[in-house]
Amino acid sequence: MTSIAQETASGVKYTTISQFSSQFVRLGSFSILALLLPPSDFGLVGMAAIVTGFTNVFRDLGTREAVIRQDEHSSQFLSSIFILNIVFSGTLTAVILLASGWASSFFSEPRLCNILRILAVTVITSGAASLPLALLQHRLEFRRLAVVEVTSVIAGGLTGTILAFWNFGVWSIVGQTLTTSTIACILAYQQTAYQPSLQFSFSEIRVILKFSGNLTLFNFLNYFVRNADNLLIGKFLGSEALGIYSLAYRLMLIPLQNVTSVVTKVMFPVLSKLNSNTDELRRTYLKMTVCIAFLTFPLMAGASVVAQEAINVLFAPTWAKAGVILNILAPLGLLQSVCSPVGVLYLVRGRTDLMFRWGLLSSGVTLIAMLAGLRFGLVGIAIAYLTASLALLIPSLLIPFHLVGLSSKEFAWSLRRIATCALLMAIMVAIAQHVTNGLDIPEAGQLLSSVMAGILTYTILVVRFAPAETSAMQSFLLRIIKKPKSSSTRTAPRQREQV
């Protein structure tokens, strides 16, 4: 298992570099755009993203995960998937072009029509990039993935910033999105050296249809429920309210995107290679989840305390209401940080049918809760989302855990010390915040004091009360930092799978 551990550490290393670099650029670009553009512009693009994101759910029909999960790939198999992705994403692009007028009328936003027509291009570029990106992830070539992701985000950020300074308004955000997607597509092919052909076989597609079909249906439900709040806010509360909510939600996602998604991205191909060894698969999954919690629990617990201060310091006064929403969403982020990776267990075991059935139930519960909370505005929507997530927490874990023989007691017991340390840290941050509020200190200074108090408290607590978790995290980080002795094991698969 040493090679698996090394591959995992290397994957996390480059994915972490990619995520942190990308998020740093995105946050910097967003901060600049937030100073130059009103919240309504972000809300307008948020409305467009609901439509384009919906079609993106279907752009590769779950074939990307099928490529990652499968051990060997024939030339005909890859070519068939490539053609399927191009045809389907092209069809979805046409659907957006035809539906742009309807979407504009639905949201009562005339400008939305032209915005959607431009952003429709990102659907076909994303579909075209799906196969080469899947090949990189299957081969565990996360360094090459990092090159694609970071370079494209930097190009998009520069485009958006320049356009904003040139007073292009909402088109600055559109230009940023379009540039990022286009550059990522070009680099994906350059990094894989994959050359598509026109071979197509229905038999090759049928092999993965059951797996990818159920996965696509689940992704549809998951996308719908994760965007139901945006849809309801945009329709009934307006673009400004959606812009404020989107800011809070985006800030809540930062720790998840920089930790959970990093580990999960590596977790899927790694656990797929352990599928025949259930005991090792279960142990590896649990170790990775503890590593996620070690970082995300204190981040989200701290965010729930300092949310309003952070919004006031980092953004203009027009965004102040986002602080209240972030206070509510932070506990939701904590839950999602350890619940989101369970999807990998469904994929590794090939039980996307079970995944889809659970998605039906959970989506219905969440949607009903959001509809009930809508009458209370943004705060009502946020509270409803959190309440539904709490109600669904236990079954959302028990069902996939059964696939690998992991008990909920074992899972909770492995997280108990980390959760306790994060809770005690949040209490200490709240005390520090209360003390500094009574002093003549600028709000930025108060925020810095609270953050430093949180970091110091959590460090002391985990070293004292969670030594095993701290030691495991240190060992994992050292393995990430350590330079691999040889890269021959990584280049061989790439050479075998070229077409």
Side-chain angles (χ1 to χ4, degrees):
M1 292 300 109
T2 303
S3 60
I4 287 293
Q6 290 173 344
E7 293 286 3
T8 302
S10 176
V12 171
K13 172 184 176 179
Y14 288 113
T15 308
T16 301
I17 292 173
S18 173
Q19 283 293 114
F20 272 87
S21 301
S22 299
Q23 288 300 319
F24 177 79
V25 174
R26 285 193 180 100
L27 184 58
S29 175
F30 180 82
S31 299
I32 295 173
L33 294 177
L35 293 173
L36 299 173
L37 305 175
S40 59
D41 281 352
F42 290 91
L44 194 60
V45 175
M47 293 174 183
I50 293 174
V51 180
T52 58
F54 174 74
T55 56
N56 280 337
V57 170
F58 301 98
R59 70 171 180 261
D60 61 13
L61 296 175
T63 56
R64 179 169 180 171
E65 287 78 7
V67 169
I68 296 171
R69 181 175 178 267
Q70 192 160 315
D71 291 333
E72 298 293 335
H73 306 133
S74 68
S75 171
Q76 192 173 50
F77 173 79
L78 295 179
S79 297
S80 299
I81 288 180
F82 169 78
I83 293 172
L84 180 67
N85 289 347
I86 291 295
V87 171
F88 208 75
S89 59
T91 303
L92 292 173
T93 300
V95 169
I96 293 178
L97 293 175
L98 293 173
S100 57
W102 175 85
S104 180
S105 299
F106 177 81
F107 286 107
S108 301
E109 285 287 355
R111 293 183 296 168
L112 185 59
C113 184
N114 288 331
I115 291 173
L116 276 173
R117 289 172 178 171
I118 299 299
L119 289 179
V121 178
T122 64
V123 176
I124 195 167
T125 54
S126 297
S130 180
L131 178 58
L133 291 176
L135 288 174
L136 289 175
Q137 195 170 349
H138 170 77
R139 300 166 184 165
L140 303 180
E141 293 187 349
F142 291 98
R143 183 182 63 82
R144 295 179 180 274
L145 274 172
V147 171
V148 174
E149 292 167 359
V150 175
T151 305
S152 61
V153 168
I154 291 175
L158 289 173
T159 300
T161 302
I162 292 172
L163 291 175
F165 275 110
W166 285 350
N167 298 317
F168 275 83
V170 68
W171 296 106
S172 306
I173 312 174
V174 174
Q176 178 180 15
T177 305
L178 184 61
T179 301
T180 301
S181 177
T182 303
I183 297 299
C185 181
I186 295 171
L187 289 177
Y189 284 93
Q190 186 270 326
Q191 288 296 312
T192 55
Y194 173 69
Q195 298 178 358
S197 69
L198 297 179
Q199 293 178 301
F200 186 82
S201 170
F202 283 105
S203 60
E204 293 283 2
I205 297 299
R206 280 197 297 268
V207 171
I208 63 168
L209 188 60
K210 183 177 179 181
F211 173 87
S212 60
N214 284 311
L215 178 60
T216 299
L217 291 173
F218 172 79
N219 287 338
F220 163 71
L221 290 172
N222 189 52
Y223 176 81
F224 180 75
V225 74
R226 284 185 178 272
N227 285 274
D229 47 358
N230 292 330
L231 185 66
L232 293 171
I233 293 169
K235 172 62 177 176
F236 297 104
L237 302 180
S239 59
E240 183 174 349
L242 179 57
I244 290 171
Y245 184 87
S246 297
L247 171 62
Y249 199 89
R250 181 177 299 189
L251 292 175
M252 181 271 286
L253 286 178
I254 288 177
L256 302 183
Q257 292 172 335
N258 287 316
V259 180
T260 303
S261 65
V262 166
V263 179
T264 303
K265 191 172 186 177
V266 179
M267 187 186 293
F268 179 28
V270 167
L271 293 186
S272 294
K273 299 180 186 303
L274 299 174
N275 196 23
S276 59
N277 188 339
T278 300
D279 290 339
E280 186 63 28
L281 188 156
R282 183 173 58 251
R283 285 193 295 268
T284 303
Y285 173 83
L286 205 55
K287 288 177 182 178
M288 288 183 169
T289 305
V290 171
C291 287
I292 291 173
F294 192 93
L295 298 174
T296 58
F297 277 22
L299 288 172
M300 302 315 300
S304 66
V305 179
V306 303
Q308 191 61 62
E309 281 185 348
I311 294 293
N312 293 343
V313 171
L314 297 175
F315 299 96
T318 53
W319 298 92
K321 293 180 181 179
V324 178
I325 308 302
L326 183 56
N327 272 321
I328 301 169
L329 293 179
L332 175 64
L334 187 148
L335 294 177
Q336 289 186 355
S337 70
V338 292
C339 291
S340 296
V342 299
V344 172
L345 299 179
Y346 288 110
L347 298 178
V348 170
R349 288 307 201 191
R351 292 305 307 272
T352 52
D353 58 328
L354 192 60
M355 190 181 193
F356 169 60
R357 289 199 291 270
W358 167 247
L360 278 175
L361 175 61
S362 59
S363 298
V365 172
T366 305
L367 181 59
I368 291 172
M370 288 182 178
L371 288 171
L374 179 61
R375 60 180 296 187
F376 301 103
L378 290 180
V379 173
I381 288 282
I383 292 176
Y385 199 173
L386 175 60
T387 303
S389 298
L390 288 170
L392 295 167
L393 175 62
I394 301 301
S396 71
L397 296 175
L398 289 180
I399 297 172
F401 284 176
H402 178 71
L403 298 177
V404 294
L406 176 61
S407 69
S408 57
K409 181 179 179 180
E410 183 183 2
F411 179 76
W413 190 252
S414 68
L415 298 176
R416 71 191 187 284
R417 286 188 287 261
I418 297 299
T420 302
C421 291
L423 177 61
L424 293 175
M425 181 218 69
I427 294 173
M428 182 58 68
V429 171
I431 294 173
Q433 190 180 55
H434 178 73
V435 171
T436 55
N437 283 340
L439 302 176
D440 187 20
I441 300 176
E443 197 164 22
Q446 295 178 19
L447 176 62
L448 180 61
S449 299
S450 298
V451 171
M452 295 306 297
I455 294 174
L456 180 62
T457 301
Y458 184 72
T459 302
I460 294 174
L461 288 173
V462 293
V463 170
R464 175 64 180 85
F465 298 107
E469 291 84 349
T470 303
S471 177
M473 195 69 190
Q474 288 176 337
S475 299
F476 188 64
L477 291 175
L478 287 174
R479 186 176 283 127
I480 290 174
I481 296 172
K482 185 178 179 181
K483 185 176 181 180
K485 294 180 180 180
S486 174
S487 60
S488 59
T489 59
R490 293 191 185 93
T491 56
R494 178 171 181 260
Q495 294 170 351
R496 284 199 303 268
E497 295 176 354
Q498 282 185 7
V499 178

